[in-house]
Amino acid sequence: MLGHWLPLQPNHITLPNILEAPSLTEWLGYDDLGRPILDRLILGAKTSFLVAFGVISVSLIVGTLIGILSGWFGGYIDLIIVRIMDIFLAFPGILLAIALSGILGPGIENIVFALSVVGWVGFARLARAQTLSLKNRDHVLAAIALGAKTGRILRYHILPLLLAPLLIEATFGIAGVVIAEAGLSFLGLGVQPPMASWGSMIKHGTSYMLMAPHMVLAPGLALLLIVLSVNILGDNLRDRLDVHSR
Amino acid sequence: MLSFLFSRLFSTLIVMLGVVTLVFLLIHLVPGDPVQAMLGESATSVDQEVLRTSLGLDQPLLTQWQSYISGLFQGDLGISLYSKNPIIDMLWERLPATLELAIAGLLVALILAIPLGSIAALRKDGMYDNIAMVFALLGVSIPNFWLGPMLIYLFSLTFGWLPVSGNDSLLSLILPALTLGTALAAILARMIRSTLLEVLNEDYIRTARAKGLRESAIVIHHALRNASLPLITVLGLQLGTLLGGAVITEIIFAWPGIGQLTIESIERRDYPVVQACILLISLSYVLVNTLTDLIYTWLDPRVNYSA
């Protein structure tokens, strides 16, 4: 995120430095066009987090809204929404996102759209389940008895209690979106050059693996570190919160 | 039991219909005129009209949907715009390679996960347990589109033991299967460990020990057998991730399966083929999930059918 203020030159081409290995002056070396990999890595981080922020925000808002409505109203509305969620869950992994971004064409907005179409379901399921358990709580029943309007109940008595688990889910969702974005970019469906993405950097580097393995190593390690940290955080949280596994 | 079976099959049918509808709508999401996008700028208006009529895009949406569904029932998925071959034939041609890869990935996952998870549970908190769980953590965190190139670098380019790509021999299956199966192996190993830890505290294990049974017999016949039920559910659910991951794995290793066909067709703007590939993968996933559910209820008599 700080990359914006750093003196980076991710697209600066220095021909004599082509494929140069990492050194003390340029920590991660240069790519096939003589561009500094560290600078491109930081630019790629910006792409990843921009996409992650966009996808998580859209999915969180849309998913929560649909989930609350489904859980609160129940009946046919709930039945239909649950069926729709089942349909979206029937597409394995990022397959639907691959199809969508393939058909919509490359570009950062299309990636955000494609991954949000896949991402909202998780939030909707969580919001629905929470609303179902919250709607019979005493304070909600009291609000209904006092004649509060539905909108007011949802906004002031249900939503604040939903927010904590949803925000935890959102935090862990970031790692998933970063991986998915890199995956799409690896397939050539993500952001286009000269913009950098860790996925397209890996893809690009595979052609030069014999001469310059650092081109693949650097963005891959960056991805691994991010996902690893989120997973370790998740494991520790689960161990602390889950009494059964002690 | 019978009513459970019917309700499960009924909801599967609804989900499948939804999947088909969503995939059908994909082509209408193409920005601008889909016909122009598929044929390119240089196509004449006559060519455009011919394609529009043959895809039925000049009909009302509902009519298009109806003919898409009735085509599916007759095994007619249309014609590829690029090769002019029937799409169903192209899928048949590519399907064996993807199945081979998926089964190999599944086998790799099981072969790695069962010993890793069981020994970790038996030696809880010991050195082996720690090593196995670090491996599992790395396994779930490593993106397959990075693991693949790294394996190629190590085993093909540096040591020269295995081929870089293609599928001409059993040797060329090893790296793709490892790439595809590692994440699943890690998930399964963690699951087997935690399930076994629970099972090992049960009364019947204590009874088996009291009878003087050998430890290996206790683990294989009593513990692993009971731990295998949740394993089936997770396996069914994760098969989808496996199928999705197969697309990326096929691209890394130039594996001539459905995933490669999907990406090739996206690049050629051959959208009817893209639709068919997505449809095939998702419908198989839905079927596998339903099957897992049914097998599970059949294997475990404690499951409540009315649920």
Side-chain angles (χ1 to χ4, degrees):
Chain A
M1 284 295 111
L2 292 174
H4 193 63
W5 292 282
L6 294 175
L8 297 176
Q9 296 182 308
N11 296 316
H12 183 72
I13 294 173
T14 348
L15 292 178
N17 291 340
I18 283 177
L19 296 181
E20 199 173 281
S23 63
L24 278 177
T25 46
E26 188 55 52
W27 293 348
L28 298 178
Y30 290 87
D31 69 1
D32 58 313
L33 293 173
R35 296 175 297 189
I37 290 181
L38 181 61
D39 294 22
R40 294 195 65 72
L41 207 63
I42 296 173
L43 187 69
K46 204 172 141 190
T47 310
S48 293
F49 285 102
L50 215 62
V51 171
F53 184 74
V55 172
I56 295 290
S57 318
V58 175
S59 309
L60 182 67
I61 295 170
V62 175
T64 309
L65 220 76
I66 296 179
I68 291 184
L69 291 181
S70 178
W72 180 261
F73 288 109
Y76 278 108
I77 296 180
D78 186 40
L79 195 73
I80 292 170
I81 292 179
V82 169
R83 282 275 179 264
I84 292 177
M85 292 200 278
D86 282 346
I87 292 167
F88 276 88
L89 287 173
F91 293 90
I94 58 164
L95 190 72
L96 187 60
I98 290 178
L100 279 171
S101 47
I103 279 182
L104 291 170
I108 209 158
E109 303 88 4
N110 289 345
I111 289 204
V112 172
F113 175 76
L115 290 175
S116 304
V117 167
V118 182
W120 69 273
V121 188
F123 293 103
R125 269 158 58 112
L126 188 62
R128 176 180 173 270
Q130 295 280 330
T131 310
L132 280 177
S133 78
L134 284 173
K135 76 175 181 185
N136 291 323
R137 290 263 188 96
D138 289 342
H139 75 280
V140 178
L141 295 178
I144 298 174
L146 286 171
K149 289 210 177 87
T150 307
R152 194 184 159 79
I153 296 176
L154 293 182
R155 203 166 142 202
Y156 293 106
H157 300 287
I158 301 263
L159 192 63
L161 291 173
L162 283 178
L163 235 45
L166 281 169
L167 287 180
I168 293 176
E169 170 99 354
T171 316
F172 292 123
I174 290 177
V177 176
V178 168
I179 288 271
E181 183 274 327
L184 290 178
S185 294
F186 178 86
L187 292 173
L189 305 171
V191 295
Q192 296 300 296
M195 266 187 95
S197 154
W198 293 348
S200 53
M201 284 172 79
I202 293 178
K203 174 74 183 173
H204 198 65
T206 51
S207 321
Y208 301 93
M209 216 140 56
L210 212 49
M211 292 168 283
H214 62 273
M215 278 179 69
V216 178
L217 215 57
L221 280 177
L223 267 174
L224 181 64
L225 283 179
I226 288 207
V227 183
L228 207 57
S229 358
V230 175
N231 280 339
I232 291 174
L233 191 71
D235 279 1
N236 282 333
L237 267 182
R238 199 195 48 213
D239 287 351
R240 270 163 192 255
L241 299 176
D242 186 7
V243 225
H244 293 293
S245 63
R246 275 187 198 162
Chain B
M1 173 75 188
L2 215 60
S3 69
F4 168 79
L5 193 78
F6 277 120
S7 80
R8 192 69 189 80
L9 288 179
F10 179 69
S11 54
T12 303
L13 269 180
I14 293 195
V15 168
M16 286 173 104
L17 194 67
V19 168
V20 172
T21 308
L22 215 59
V23 170
F24 156 77
L25 286 173
L26 275 179
I27 205 161
H28 296 275
L29 283 176
V30 176
D33 180 6
V35 171
Q36 200 181 352
M38 284 184 264
L39 290 178
E41 299 278 317
S42 57
T44 63
S45 58
V46 178
D47 286 343
Q48 288 188 3
E49 281 323 301
V50 169
L51 180 62
R52 203 182 303 280
T53 321
S54 78
L55 288 178
L57 288 173
D58 51 347
Q59 305 283 323
L61 201 61
L62 196 66
T63 320
Q64 288 181 39
W65 181 77
Q66 279 169 343
S67 61
Y68 190 72
I69 302 257
S70 72
L72 282 185
F73 274 110
Q74 294 156 21
D76 175 17
L77 291 164
I79 303 282
S80 158
L81 303 178
Y82 177 79
S83 67
K84 311 284 182 234
N85 289 328
I87 296 173
I88 188 92
D89 294 349
M90 296 167 76
L91 292 183
W92 276 122
E93 194 186 305
R94 301 288 193 115
L95 190 62
T98 297
L99 282 181
E100 194 185 344
L101 180 61
I103 292 171
L106 200 67
L107 280 180
V108 164
L110 285 173
I111 290 170
L112 288 176
I114 292 178
L116 217 60
S118 335
I119 303 179
L122 293 173
R123 306 259 180 280
K124 184 172 185 288
D125 295 328
M127 194 183 70
Y128 180 84
D129 182 23
N130 288 335
I131 295 174
M133 286 307 107
V134 167
F135 169 82
L137 190 63
L138 276 176
V140 286
S141 307
I142 205 163
N144 57 357
F145 51 89
W146 188 58
L147 177 64
M150 285 291 113
L151 290 175
I152 292 179
Y153 180 69
L154 208 63
F155 293 106
S156 310
L157 300 180
T158 309
F159 297 131
W161 292 342
L162 296 165
V164 177
S165 63
N167 77 333
D168 4 286
S169 66
L170 212 56
L171 276 182
S172 54
L173 185 61
I174 297 178
L175 289 186
L178 259 177
T179 306
L180 189 60
T182 299
L184 183 59
I187 294 172
L188 290 181
R190 297 170 87 165
M191 218 213 84
I192 291 172
R193 176 181 177 271
S194 65
T195 323
L196 264 186
L197 282 178
E198 260 171 46
V199 170
L200 285 173
N201 283 328
E202 295 283 345
D203 290 341
Y204 53 80
I205 299 289
R206 201 174 311 132
T207 313
R209 286 219 173 97
K211 281 198 309 190
L213 266 185
R214 269 178 300 120
E215 194 65 22
S216 61
I218 295 175
V219 172
I220 294 170
H221 293 299
H222 294 274
L224 266 181
R225 218 174 147 156
N226 277 295
S228 65
L229 272 175
L231 190 72
I232 292 175
T233 321
V234 173
L235 217 57
L237 284 173
Q238 290 298 329
L239 212 66
T241 324
L242 203 72
L243 286 170
V247 178
I248 289 179
T249 310
E250 286 179 12
I251 293 299
I252 301 171
F253 293 95
W255 191 263
I258 302 283
Q260 201 194 37
L261 181 66
T262 313
I263 302 299
E264 279 172 4
S265 306
I266 286 177
E267 281 162 6
R268 292 171 186 151
R269 293 170 182 252
D270 197 349
Y271 297 133
V273 181
V274 178
Q275 281 179 304
C277 292
I278 303 289
L279 199 63
L280 179 67
I281 301 178
S282 350
L283 289 186
S284 352
Y285 178 47
V286 175
L287 279 180
V288 168
N289 263 341
T290 308
L291 220 61
T292 317
D293 246 24
L294 294 180
I295 291 176
Y296 188 82
T297 39
W298 180 59
L299 282 180
D300 190 348
R302 289 167 301 186
V303 173
N304 185 4
Y305 298 125
S306 59

